[in-house]
Amino acid sequence: MDIVNQSRLWSRIKPAKPTRQQQEARIGLLFIAPWLIGFVLLKALPILAAFGLSLTDFKMLTPEATQFIGLENYVRLLRDPVAGANLFESIRYFLLTIPLQLVVALVLAAVFTSERLKNKHFSQTLIFMTSIIPATSVFFIFLGSLQYAERLILTPLNLPPIQGFDLFLPFMTLWSIGPGFLIMYSAMVSVPKEIYEAARVDGAGPFTRFVLITLPMISPAIFFTLVINLTGAFGGAVLLDRGYILNFSLSPMESYINETMFRETELGYASALAWVTFTVMMTLTILLFWSAKRWVYFPEEDDVNEI
Amino acid sequence: MRFNRKTAPGPDASRLSLRLWDFTGTALFNLFVLLFLVAYLSPLPFMVISSLTPHDQFLDSNAPILPSKRVKFNYEGKDLIVYQVPTAEGIKHWALYKPSRQSSLFIDPENPEAGPILWEGAWRTLRANYTFAPTLDNFKDFFAVANIPLYFKNTIIVALISEIAVLASSIAVAYGLSRFRIPGLKYIFFLLIATIMIPSNITLVPTYYLYSGHMLNWIGTWLPLIAPHFFGSAVLIFLLRQNFKSIPRDLDEAAMLDGAGPLRILISVILPQSIPVVVTVALLHFFYIWNETRLSSLYLGIAPHKQLISFAVQRNQTYFFTPEILMVGALVVMIVPVIVLFLSQRFFMQDMIVTQIEK
């Protein structure tokens, strides 16, 4: 014991030559330095600055007249019926779109694992293709094809015309399943065949095998897809960013923040709005990660943080 | 859903019917997927049709769906439009000579010498005759207003510079995260994942202030679009790291024994084995820059000659706002990513490891 304590003391007085482990850590830190610096400069500091701004009445045109107003912006937010409505609209939007995206992508991925399917690769690319079409194009393609749908299907069948954006939402949602679909497909393909064989010998039918083997085995992929979709629903983008349409956003909260920012130029209030969205988003994320321990299968025990 | 090919090993007589059944099943299955694909992609043909359709066809509700032009008949040096005129002897294809509200004069194109024929009725209710005739005029009109080659050049320059920056930094960071024992690595990695999910709104105001005239004065330049990529991109780092981690360490150790340093190992051991994921990541970044509109509208709104293609096309579309020009714009913006995707389908998102179980 004494020797250990002594040597610790000694090393405090006279720094020893770095051990191999320390050296490894130093080189490693050097490699990840770009991201760490970027994180501090472009994420951490701006987020903190946004919180600071949310406590002021900062306006872009008159920055010198800024005053500290405490929590007034947050009080205003609580009383703002538009903000509340938009936040609920955002939440309703992802409660609607996330399950839809997930289920369609999952079913498609399962269909694509079948050996019966011809031209698999080409069809996959076709399904993925819709996810890289820029928002600009998607929006107008949808508007344009609505006219044709009306003339070709609705008018001949005497159906009422489609109410504009009601259909746009599920349409846009389905056109962005590409990444989730590919991720779940490659996860399904890599499930070891022996497990299915063993289950078949035990008399499990195709449906049972899918629910009891495929779903648990690909749960990390499902989890990752959920993360992508959740971020997408809040106006972010994980794998593919199709940009956005001027003056129009799929996420109501996002467009409200942009409006406050650019039309009203009330950056203090806009920051407060953004901070509330950020908190809701982070809470949902933490809940999702916390729940992951219960339903996501991790092959190695201590790899929970590795997705 | 997996189909069991080995069910019911019946007697020889039923083998043929079994094979027939199998064949029908396969055919039905493929038909189902084909129908899904057709429904899924159905808006795309309409985009092409619309972009080739002349403008006045949209104004006529009786016009056909496919791009067409009105049938004209030249009479006494004037182009007359041919209509379907209901007469006592059935529907005649006559050219409208002198329109008026109650009754109009028509010319029979098959017998123009007979002179004008009087027809009682409102000519506006008549259907015009159309022939199939796609036109490229919409593209000409749009390209005359929007300087597409310039926007294309801008996008390629920004994409190339930021591509090199983001690849170099992301690869380095992913290598650092996957191969070195760093104290607190677990937390750094968790922070990385958290950054992926941070909504862009929260950082928008402070970063805008940073780039604005108050501090860096970068508005109207490409710098706000390029500079952040020198610090790597969290998603790309995540994807690269998952794949680097799956490469066995034996080779690095062998290289290390031969005296190779960490950078040498990255370049000559790790990267050659990660070509698909590096291509994927590079393409993801290219698609991002190509579709980029958020930052362009913020920082390049005042500099029309520096705009990137997605944003510029969107702005130019709004000058016309007619169905055919909107579709021309849509087609122009989407065609490049689609071609790139099809050219790279062998590599893109293939053999990529996102989660642990994939091998």
Side-chain angles (χ1 to χ4, degrees):
Chain A
M1 259 322 216
D2 264 6
I3 301 167
V4 176
N5 277 337
Q6 264 182 4
S7 70
R8 268 193 195 156
L9 253 170
W10 184 239
S11 68
R12 241 183 238 175
I13 298 160
K14 186 189 168 203
K17 208 177 156 229
T19 60
R20 238 192 107 193
Q21 214 164 3
Q22 277 171 320
Q23 212 177 358
E24 190 184 326
R26 274 180 204 176
I27 298 172
L29 274 174
L30 204 65
F31 274 108
I32 60 175
W35 180 76
L36 282 177
I37 296 167
F39 174 76
V40 172
L41 286 182
L42 297 170
K43 299 281 171 193
L45 284 181
I47 289 173
L48 289 177
F51 185 67
L53 277 180
S54 74
L55 302 174
T56 67
D57 61 353
F58 184 72
K59 289 194 171 116
M60 192 49 111
L61 300 174
T62 51
E64 58 284 342
T66 306
Q67 275 185 341
F68 181 78
I69 55 167
L71 292 174
E72 209 169 285
N73 279 326
Y74 291 92
V75 175
R76 180 180 158 192
L77 198 153
L78 283 177
R79 294 201 184 124
D80 185 351
V82 188
N86 281 320
L87 193 61
F88 274 107
E89 191 63 20
S90 280
I91 292 172
R92 192 183 74 98
Y93 168 69
F94 76 68
L95 283 180
L96 201 83
T97 55
I98 290 177
L100 183 70
Q101 276 177 323
L102 196 70
V103 169
V104 174
L106 189 67
V107 170
L108 267 183
V111 165
F112 270 73
T113 52
S114 165
E115 280 153 24
R116 293 175 180 236
L117 197 63
K118 310 279 180 240
N119 278 331
K120 214 180 267 187
H121 215 75
F122 185 69
S123 314
Q124 257 180 27
T125 314
L126 281 180
I127 288 178
F128 194 86
M129 185 183 84
T130 52
S131 304
I132 59 159
I133 297 176
T136 323
S137 308
V138 174
F139 186 67
F140 295 124
I141 290 171
F142 171 74
L143 280 188
S145 51
L146 257 191
Q147 293 179 349
Y148 287 97
E150 229 169 277
R151 285 177 56 185
L152 281 175
I153 304 166
L154 299 176
T155 315
L157 295 177
N158 264 331
L159 292 171
I162 300 168
Q163 289 302 315
F165 296 111
D166 295 357
L167 250 183
F168 183 58
L169 204 101
F171 174 86
M172 186 93 162
T173 309
L174 285 183
W175 265 26
S176 30
I177 58 171
F181 159 70
L182 272 192
I183 289 165
M184 289 198 276
Y185 169 75
S186 45
M188 279 186 198
V189 172
S190 58
V191 175
K193 297 278 174 291
E194 302 86 57
I195 304 181
Y196 288 111
E197 283 304 321
R200 191 176 292 167
V201 170
D202 287 349
F207 185 72
T208 323
R209 288 202 298 267
F210 183 74
V211 173
L212 293 182
I213 298 172
T214 314
L215 285 185
M217 288 298 281
I218 66 157
S219 55
I222 296 178
F223 178 68
F224 189 67
T225 312
L226 262 178
V227 171
I228 297 179
N229 295 348
L230 184 71
T231 316
F234 270 94
V238 173
L239 285 178
L240 289 168
D241 190 340
R242 44 165 115 229
Y244 82 139
I245 307 135
L246 299 176
N247 309 318
F248 179 82
S249 168
L250 266 182
S251 167
M253 198 60 197
E254 197 194 354
S255 46
Y256 186 57
I257 295 175
N258 286 345
E259 201 176 291
T260 323
M261 211 179 289
F262 298 113
R263 201 165 299 162
E264 325 282 339
T265 64
E266 290 186 272
L267 298 188
Y269 188 48
S271 302
L273 286 170
W275 246 87
V276 169
T277 327
F278 173 70
T279 318
V280 171
M281 172 82 191
M282 282 296 131
T283 314
L284 285 170
T285 310
I286 290 166
L287 277 178
L288 193 66
F289 272 80
W290 172 78
S291 77
K293 282 179 191 163
R294 286 157 201 277
W295 62 272
V296 180
Y297 162 70
F298 297 104
E300 285 149 56
E301 279 243 327
D302 56 353
D303 274 354
V304 177
N305 62 327
E306 310 213 341
I307 299 198
Chain B
M1 273 146 243
R2 278 154 201 284
F3 285 81
N4 194 342
R5 280 161 183 274
K6 286 174 194 157
T7 41
D12 275 5
S14 70
R15 191 165 281 169
L16 184 74
S17 76
L18 200 70
R19 270 176 61 192
L20 207 68
W21 182 241
D22 201 47
F23 176 76
T24 331
T26 307
L28 277 175
F29 188 72
N30 279 290
L31 189 71
F32 169 75
V33 174
L34 187 72
L35 283 178
F36 171 83
L37 278 178
V38 168
Y40 190 69
L41 302 173
S42 59
L44 293 178
F46 292 127
M47 172 186 63
V48 180
I49 291 173
S50 205
S51 64
L52 299 174
T53 303
H55 181 67
D56 34 335
Q57 200 183 328
F58 288 99
L59 306 176
D60 182 357
S61 59
N62 290 324
I65 296 285
L66 291 176
S68 349
K69 64 173 186 221
R70 290 194 164 121
V71 178
K72 299 252 170 82
F73 174 68
N74 194 299
Y75 181 72
E76 292 174 351
K78 273 193 281 182
D79 275 336
L80 306 178
I81 296 168
V82 178
Y83 285 91
Q84 297 172 15
V85 187
T87 62
E89 297 122 52
I91 289 173
K92 299 277 185 188
H93 298 281
W94 286 347
L96 183 62
Y97 179 56
K98 268 215 176 78
S100 88
R101 195 167 293 176
Q102 301 295 326
S103 59
S104 306
L105 289 176
F106 283 90
I107 300 286
D108 187 358
E110 282 164 17
N111 188 13
E113 289 80 25
I117 311 160
L118 186 76
W119 179 75
E120 298 278 335
W123 68 272
R124 281 184 189 279
T125 60
L126 296 175
R127 277 166 175 262
N129 260 3
Y130 279 95
T131 49
F132 176 69
T135 168
L136 287 175
D137 289 351
N138 300 325
F139 285 88
K140 276 180 210 149
D141 290 351
F142 189 64
F143 275 63
V145 171
N147 193 349
I148 301 294
L150 173 76
Y151 302 138
F152 185 78
K153 199 186 86 191
N154 290 346
T155 313
I156 295 298
I157 294 173
V158 172
L160 268 182
I161 300 173
S162 64
E163 187 86 76
I164 294 167
V166 85
L167 278 184
S169 54
S170 299
I171 287 173
V173 174
Y175 178 57
L177 286 175
S178 63
R179 281 295 194 266
F180 295 90
R181 271 173 304 230
I182 302 166
L185 189 66
K186 207 171 147 182
Y187 302 102
I188 296 177
F189 186 64
F190 186 78
L191 218 56
L192 181 92
I193 305 232
T195 359
I196 296 177
M197 303 180 66
I198 291 175
S200 58
N201 271 323
I202 184 87
T203 56
L204 198 57
V205 178
T207 38
Y208 183 79
Y209 194 77
L210 173 74
Y211 296 139
S212 74
H214 299 288
M215 292 177 87
L216 289 173
N217 203 7
W218 280 359
I219 290 180
T221 69
W222 290 328
L223 288 168
L225 276 77
I226 295 174
H229 297 297
F230 281 88
F231 301 107
S233 147
V235 199
L236 306 188
I237 293 171
F238 170 74
L239 290 177
L240 288 163
R241 181 255 187 201
Q242 298 296 79
N243 288 271
F244 289 173
K245 248 199 128 110
S246 72
I247 299 170
R249 276 168 178 264
D250 313 0
L251 278 171
D252 326 9
E253 271 153 21
M256 213 183 290
L257 287 179
D258 288 347
L263 205 60
R264 180 94 232 148
I265 293 174
L266 172 63
I267 291 166
S268 47
V269 179
I270 308 270
L271 282 185
Q273 296 184 67
S274 317
I275 290 168
V277 70
V278 172
V279 171
T280 301
V281 158
L283 285 170
L284 283 174
H285 182 75
F286 171 74
F287 293 143
Y288 161 70
I289 292 288
W290 186 271
N291 297 346
E292 156 54 43
T293 34
R294 246 170 261 265
L295 299 178
S296 302
S297 71
L298 267 183
Y299 300 114
L300 298 176
I302 56 159
H305 58 285
K306 290 215 169 143
Q307 282 165 5
L308 306 194
I309 192 141
S310 241
F311 176 67
V313 165
Q314 225 177 100
R315 267 176 67 125
N316 282 299
Q317 278 174 324
T318 51
Y319 297 146
F320 295 87
F321 227 82
T322 53
E324 72 283 1
I325 294 293
L326 290 179
M327 292 306 201
V328 167
L331 192 66
V332 167
V333 194
M334 70 167 271
I335 198 79
V336 171
V338 167
I339 291 174
V340 169
L341 177 71
F342 274 93
L343 289 180
S344 64
Q345 56 168 325
R346 187 176 292 277
F347 288 108
F348 187 63
M349 297 274 275
Q350 300 298 320
D351 306 320
M352 207 181 62
I353 294 154
V354 174
T355 56
Q356 282 275 304
I357 53 162
E358 290 145 40
K359 274 166 206 146

